Amino acid sequence: MRSLVYSACLSLVLVSPAFAQAPVPTLSQGEEGTLTLRDALDEAFERNPELVALRRGFAVAAAQPAQARYLEPPMLETQIWEWPLTTLNPARTGMYMFMMEQRLPGRGKRASRAVVADREADLVRHQVGVRTNEVLEEVRQTFAELALARDVVRLFDGQMPLLRDITDAATYRYAAGHAGQHDSLSSVLELSRLQANAVTWRARVQRAEAVLTRLMGRAPGTAVEGLVPQALTVIPFDPAGVALERHPDMAVANATVAREEAELARLSGERRPDFVVGGGYMLTPGSAGAWTARGGIMWPSAPWSRGGLD
């Protein structure tokens, strides 16, 4: 009968609003101020190392289309002919030749390469959006988990003193002969169970704080401020329509298709020949010298190389 009374008292403590609202210090709140979910999302978006690296990679990809529109750099070449083995004096050589060569891609090839690079940059942009959504979703889940764990730890901290008082009272009553040993042992066991649960939830708090710190791009071990509770709202909408229109995975799929179509068009244009033009000046000591010119064309449809394009 006495154990039932103690169990009822403990149940009243667990549901009492006064203990739920008691100002009990939480873990790892060494810094002043509070942290809202919006602030956590903004900080993760700006400082998360993975997202920063992905955005910089997109900046590199976005520069590729402009680069693809330019010609390849020319080649400058110098040759010396008839240099006798008996002298190191370059003035006693037979002739100097200065050459410059420029490769000219076939018609439309630069434009098709620029289109492929542009589609590639668009694909990278959508991939960045997908990973950004994943990281921000991790922030939301970790934020909620940390808020729950801190509330539970605060509740345990509020219940622990009262349960200790109940345990002490049961022990004194047993020592005085006014209660049985069962009442004292039940209180001790309940206190041990509560302490074990408190240790588990404190570990969850520490783990959630470490994950949230990493996601927000903070230094390891940085304290997380007190969290501001979020109000839940329900907004009616068409999930299927929104997913088809705005979901990043759908955008990635469309960008991948566009990129492969552009790559196919570029490969089809590789059948067009490239050209090489060059010119130079031959300087012969003791004479006026002469100009030189050079031209070449690539033969993509040659019988021995046609299979590669096919």
Side-chain angles (χ1 to χ4, degrees), residues 31 43 47-49 209-224:
E31 297 181 359
E43 190 169 349
R47 300 177 55 182
N48 183 273
E209 287 180 347
V211 173
L212 189 60
T213 298
R214 175 181 60 83
L215 292 174
M216 292 191 299
R218 295 183 178 182
T222 304
V224 179

Side-chain angles (χ1 to χ4, degrees), residues 102-242:
Q102 177 65 57
R103 185 181 182 88
L104 301 176
R107 179 175 59 86
K109 285 188 175 182
R110 282 189 294 163
S112 62
R113 293 169 187 169
V115 171
V116 171
D118 185 69
R119 298 295 183 270
E120 183 70 27
D122 191 57
L123 175 60
V124 173
R125 179 174 64 85
H126 289 296
Q127 290 174 344
V128 172
V130 170
R131 185 54 189 154
T132 300
N133 281 352
E134 293 175 351
V135 170
L136 296 183
E137 180 62 25
E138 291 181 28
V139 172
R140 294 187 185 95
Q141 294 180 0
T142 307
F143 188 94
E145 180 181 354
L146 179 57
L148 174 62
R150 283 183 172 178
D151 288 342
V152 173
V153 169
R154 185 183 297 108
L155 185 61
F156 282 148
D157 291 342
Q159 296 167 358
M160 203 76 69
L162 181 59
L163 189 56
R164 287 196 183 99
D165 293 341
I166 295 176
T167 303
D168 293 342
T171 303
Y172 294 150
R173 290 174 64 84
Y174 170 71
H178 298 294
Q181 187 179 15
H182 174 72
D183 297 332
S184 178
L185 291 178
S186 298
S187 300
V188 172
L189 291 176
E190 186 66 24
L191 180 61
S192 300
R193 185 186 64 82
L194 193 64
Q195 290 175 339
N197 290 337
V199 170
T200 301
W201 281 94
R202 289 178 191 276
R204 293 184 61 174
V205 168
Q206 295 176 356
R207 183 171 61 252
E209 287 180 347
V211 173
L212 189 60
T213 298
R214 175 181 60 83
L215 292 174
M216 292 191 299
R218 295 183 178 182
T222 304
V224 179
E225 307 90 325
L227 305 183
V228 177
Q230 299 298 309
L232 299 180
T233 58
V234 179
I235 302 176
F237 69 101
D238 178 18
V242 172

